[in-house]
Amino acid sequence: MLELNQISKSYKLADNQVFPALRDINISFKKGELVSIIGESGSGKSTLMNLIGGLDSDFTGKLLIEGRNIGEFSSKELDAYRKNKVGFVFQSFNLIPHLSVLDNVTIAMTLSNIGKSARVARAEEILTEVGLKDHMKKKPNQLSGGQKQRVAIARALINDPDIIIADEPTGSLDSETTEQILELITNIARKGKLVIMVTHSEKVANHSSRVVKIADGRIVDDIKGMDIGSAASERASINKGKQNLSMLSAIKLALNNMKEKMTRNVLIAIGASIGITSVILMLALGNGVKGYVTDQMNSMTNPLVVEVNMPIEEEAAMNQNEKGTAEAPPGMPPMDPSAMFGSYTPFEQKDMDKLSDIDHVVEVQKGLNIMALGTNMIQYEDKTSQILMVSTLSENVTESNIAKGAYPEKGEILVSEAVEKDLGQDIIGKEVTVTLKLNEETYQAPLTVSGIYTTGSNFEGTSNMQIMFANYDDLVAIGDKHDFEIQPSTLYLISDDVDHTDSIRQAVADLGYRGSAQEMMADMFLSMLDMLSYVLAAIAAISLIVSAIMILVVLYISVVERTKEIGVLKAIGARSKDIRRIFVSESFLIGLLSGLMGILFALLAMMIVNPITTNLFSFNLVVIEPIYMIAGIVISVLISMAAGIIPAGMAAKLDPVESLRRE
């Protein structure tokens, strides 16, 4: 079954020196043997066991298992060999402390991705055979030395290997327990398995069917021992295909590992969640302020109305600038250079026809907007108010905009609260003199104030601008009286439904017309808010780098702490990919926990802040969208997994022989 031909193994020492651990080993083994390999420390017996067990494939010569040379195996074949052909029993047991007895035994089958029911049934069968039926749910620290060794033997047998390698299996046991373990090992050999024991004890060797003595890396004696007999045995029905550890199984193992250091992992997750919370809150703050601004802008206008203005011609703008007309301040939306009445670009009938053909537009209303400084004014008795903006009434001005008085009829106007302050509180119902600059000429007309305009019921306070709203027909009549034909500078498109307003607004833009200055300012302000939110979120995200470093350090410490555990996993057939997958799964779980905590903290902050801002300012300052929470979890997981790549790679590259030596 197992044959070693001219096996030699050397170790490189400092100063390019070489130490020969094994020299021309020639020996063969067959099934049903219980072989003891004895020798002094440093004689090479442990090295020989490492080669037979597939833990070390760096040797010269041929090590044949059923005719195949282990020295020519790929890393994948070596993993499969350790998983299916060999079972290890260690002197120090090497049980994984945070796993139960049952889980310690089934771990090798877990690495083979065998179903839970099959794993448990097989483990219960073997644990019953080794006398641990009533101890399956205990942890290793709740067992005696002999019981721990029985668990180790059960783990070695779980995949029904052909070879059992026992390294000083009784070295840590008392004499009575030693006899029990030796009897157990002897029974394993009787059932047709090859059992190879490494021991210092002649007493232990006397229980063997064969004793091989080794000294200075050479076999010096090979003698027959006692007749151990044989016993009938049925091979276990175990799937020994090429199944490997699944991602789900890796996550379950990682979760068990994390439970062992629960406090540390939770604290790391809390630290990492601070960055996620900060990012979510920065985006939510921007969203809340944007919502507030949008609500206030909507409260000032009728949601069914879309204001349309003619596009600004560059040549006209240049001409106006040459005349000294003030242009829009930096960062403000572009202004029609002909803010002065009479020089604007009016809408023609073809424009109105084109706009009226837009889907869902049910009416087109004509309008006029005049902006001027020092030329338009309202006089009442000895009081004067300079009017910054003269606008015509449309469905954009609703009853909610009337703070006092009534909606204007023919010959009446609506003035803002700023004008009321200039002219007096008793201005409603009074006739005033309105002065307008029309066609480069100044004209006056008597009109009656019907009411006071406010920006909306959802807005605390009213506009500080001096604004006058008049009926379009009244302004046309004033123009006709002074031989000046008034044409609309603004059109108001009335939508058949609020849901269609945005599509109408987009169609207007596609035709090349401008929206209202108010909309442009709102869009610009909202864009600035977006930019500010993203900048603040990016600044908050810097803390995620610290989180990544914390996770990297924790996983690195975990690799160092669990080096021996990693060696055990490799000894029972874990691939480097499996080890890497387990540690990456741990980083995934930390990232997931961090993301969930980040969302929780952000939601708690929202629950605390929003009632305060609602009470003080009547709006929610923190508005968390589902996409923010999803992004928080995704970012947290990605950063955590990225941080876990280096420690996971370190763990995967650990040498199993060196790992098993680590205390």
Side-chain angles (χ1 to χ4, degrees):
M1 177 184 181
L2 182 65
E3 185 177 356
L4 285 71
N5 294 331
Q6 295 183 322
I7 295 294
S8 296
K9 167 71 178 179
S10 299
Y11 293 103
K12 291 183 179 180
L13 304 177
D15 300 327
N16 294 322
Q17 294 184 7
V18 176
F19 172 73
L22 297 176
R23 314 180 195 208
D24 294 324
I25 300 294
N26 290 279
I27 193 170
S28 60
F29 306 93
K30 61 184 179 181
K31 294 181 180 180
E33 284 191 302
L34 175 54
V35 183
S36 286
I37 298 180
I38 64 174
E40 300 295 329
S41 296
S43 61
K45 57 186 185 299
S46 293
T47 300
L48 182 60
M49 292 302 95
N50 290 336
L51 297 185
I52 293 173
L55 296 176
D56 188 349
S57 59
D58 182 17
F59 58 87
T60 60
K62 292 184 178 181
L63 200 163
L64 304 174
I65 175 72
E66 296 178 339
R68 293 192 63 197
N69 184 9
I70 291 178
E72 296 176 353
F73 280 10
S74 66
S75 59
K76 186 183 293 186
E77 289 173 322
L78 277 174
D79 293 336
Y81 171 73
R82 292 194 299 269
K83 187 183 299 181
N84 300 314
K85 288 288 187 180
V86 182
F88 285 93
V89 180
F90 302 100
Q91 176 183 356
S92 55
F93 321 125
N94 286 345
L95 302 180
I96 300 174
H98 57 270
L99 297 182
S100 67
V101 167
L102 186 65
D103 289 338
N104 264 285
V105 174
T106 59
I107 185 70
M109 297 183 81
T110 301
L111 294 172
S112 297
N113 200 29
I114 295 172
K116 182 178 180 180
S117 58
R119 294 198 310 263
V120 172
R122 172 68 176 159
E124 288 177 346
E125 175 189 345
I126 294 180
L127 286 168
T128 300
E129 287 181 10
V130 299
L132 294 175
K133 181 180 180 180
D134 299 327
H135 303 278
M136 296 183 189
K137 295 185 179 180
K138 291 182 178 179
K139 294 289 180 67
N141 62 2
Q142 297 174 298
L143 304 177
S144 66
Q147 289 171 330
K148 290 179 182 177
Q149 196 60 288
R150 289 171 186 267
V151 176
I153 292 171
R155 181 180 61 193
L157 292 171
I158 191 72
N159 274 341
D160 194 27
D162 296 314
I163 304 169
I164 299 294
I165 297 175
D167 185 6
E168 297 284 1
T170 61
S172 302
L173 307 177
D174 59 49
S175 58
E176 182 179 351
T177 308
T178 294
E179 289 296 328
Q180 295 172 356
I181 295 300
L182 287 175
E183 181 61 27
L184 188 58
I185 290 174
T186 302
N187 285 333
I188 293 170
R190 287 191 185 114
K191 292 179 181 179
K193 297 189 185 300
L194 169 60
V195 180
I196 303 174
M197 290 193 300
V198 173
T199 182
H200 288 91
S201 171
E202 292 285 351
K203 181 180 178 181
V204 171
N206 290 337
H207 286 73
S208 306
S209 63
R210 181 178 172 191
V211 179
V212 176
K213 294 184 178 181
I214 187 169
D216 298 326
R218 300 178 189 275
I219 293 178
V220 295
D221 206 355
D222 186 351
I223 58 176
K224 182 175 176 59
M226 63 181 288
D227 183 6
I228 62 172
S230 62
S233 174
E234 292 184 3
R235 297 288 296 195
S237 178
I238 296 175
N239 182 0
K240 289 193 176 185
K242 295 183 178 180
Q243 290 181 307
N244 295 304
L245 182 70
S246 67
M247 195 66 202
L248 181 59
S249 296
I251 291 174
K252 289 179 179 178
L253 285 174
L255 191 57
N256 278 333
N257 294 336
M258 291 176 65
K259 287 180 182 177
E260 180 69 8
K261 303 288 185 181
M262 180 61 75
T263 302
R264 183 172 71 186
N265 287 317
V266 168
L267 289 174
I268 289 299
I270 291 173
S273 70
I274 294 173
I276 299 299
T277 302
S278 302
V279 172
I280 292 175
L281 286 179
M282 290 303 102
L283 294 174
L285 283 169
N287 195 35
V289 175
K290 280 175 57 181
Y292 175 72
V293 171
T294 302
D295 288 344
Q296 298 314 309
M297 299 301 290
N298 290 338
S299 72
M300 299 181 213
T301 59
N302 186 336
L304 290 172
V305 179
V306 176
E307 181 180 323
V308 184
N309 292 286
M310 288 294 287
I312 299 173
E313 298 180 8
E314 293 185 10
E315 182 178 352
M318 291 175 62
N319 291 337
Q320 287 296 324
N321 290 337
E322 288 173 1
K323 293 177 182 179
T325 303
E327 56 182 297
M332 294 293 286
M335 297 170 61
D336 190 329
S338 57
M340 308 303 292
F341 192 77
S343 57
Y344 62 89
T345 304
F347 280 93
E348 299 179 7
Q349 187 60 45
K350 63 179 182 179
D351 297 306
M352 289 184 274
D353 293 340
K354 192 186 299 183
L355 291 167
S356 64
D357 288 338
I358 295 175
D359 290 340
H360 305 294
V361 172
V362 296
E363 184 183 353
V364 178
Q365 296 178 353
K366 296 179 181 179
L368 194 64
N369 287 305
I370 309 168
M371 291 187 67
L373 295 173
T375 57
N376 298 325
M377 65 183 69
I378 298 177
Q379 292 174 297
Y380 174 64
E381 296 178 346
D382 59 344
K383 299 175 183 177
T384 302
S385 180
Q386 300 289 337
I387 304 302
L388 177 64
M389 177 179 289
V390 176
S391 293
T392 54
L393 291 161
S394 68
E395 290 195 21
N396 233 351
V397 180
T398 65
E399 292 294 336
S400 65
N401 296 116
I402 310 299
K404 301 176 186 177
Y407 201 87
E409 301 291 340
K410 182 178 180 180
E412 295 180 336
I413 61 173
L414 195 67
V415 297
S416 66
E417 291 178 321
V419 175
E420 182 190 27
K421 291 178 182 178
D422 292 339
L423 301 181
Q425 298 290 327
D426 59 345
I427 193 66
I428 297 175
K430 300 298 174 38
E431 184 177 274
V432 296
T433 301
V434 177
T435 302
L436 300 175
K437 186 173 184 180
L438 304 174
N439 196 24
E440 302 299 330
E441 296 291 336
T442 301
Y443 303 99
Q444 292 183 334
L447 295 169
T448 302
V449 177
S450 69
I452 307 301
Y453 171 83
T454 182
T455 51
S457 58
N458 293 331
F459 191 75
E460 294 293 334
T462 55
S463 173
N464 290 320
M465 294 175 60
Q466 282 84 357
I467 305 173
M468 183 190 87
F469 290 91
N471 288 294
Y472 182 78
D473 291 340
D474 288 340
L475 295 183
V476 170
I478 294 173
D480 291 343
K481 185 177 180 180
H482 297 89
D483 298 324
F484 179 76
E485 182 183 0
I486 288 181
Q487 293 177 299
S489 67
T490 301
L491 296 178
Y492 298 98
L493 310 185
I494 312 303
S495 172
D496 59 3
D497 191 275
V498 174
D499 293 336
H500 299 142
T501 303
D502 287 339
S503 64
I504 294 173
R505 191 174 285 114
Q506 183 60 50
V508 168
D510 293 340
L511 290 172
Y513 298 98
R514 291 187 301 124
S516 67
Q518 185 184 63
E519 288 176 2
M520 296 173 70
M521 290 183 67
D523 290 342
M524 178 190 68
F525 186 60
L526 293 177
S527 296
M528 291 173 62
L529 278 176
D530 277 337
M531 184 182 300
L532 182 60
S533 298
Y534 294 142
V535 169
L536 291 175
I539 294 172
I542 293 175
S543 61
L544 297 177
I545 299 174
V546 179
S547 303
I549 294 172
M550 285 194 304
I551 294 168
L552 188 152
V553 170
V554 167
L555 289 177
Y556 173 78
I557 293 172
S558 182
V559 171
V560 173
E561 289 176 340
R562 292 156 54 192
T563 297
K564 198 163 193 175
E565 177 186 330
I566 294 167
V568 173
L569 291 174
K570 288 200 169 187
I572 60 178
R575 304 170 299 165
S576 294
K577 185 185 293 186
D578 296 333
I579 303 298
R580 186 183 298 110
R581 187 169 286 178
I582 291 171
F583 279 89
V584 169
S585 296
E586 288 188 27
S587 64
F588 165 78
L589 291 172
I590 291 175
L592 181 61
L593 182 59
S594 301
L596 292 173
M597 284 185 170
I599 292 172
L600 177 62
F601 294 152
L603 291 174
L604 288 174
M606 182 179 72
M607 293 170 63
I608 294 171
V609 172
N610 283 351
I612 298 173
T613 58
T614 300
N615 185 51
L616 294 176
F617 309 109
S618 301
F619 85 104
N620 291 327
L621 179 62
V622 181
V623 180
I624 298 176
E625 300 285 352
I627 188 64
Y628 300 163
M629 295 187 283
I630 294 171
I633 290 178
V634 171
I635 291 171
S636 179
V637 168
L638 289 177
I639 288 177
S640 182
M641 292 182 70
I645 288 175
I646 295 175
M650 288 173 52
K653 292 177 182 178
L654 286 175
D655 180 80
V657 176
E658 293 299 323
S659 299
L660 289 168
R661 289 174 182 166
R662 186 75 63 88
E663 292 300 328

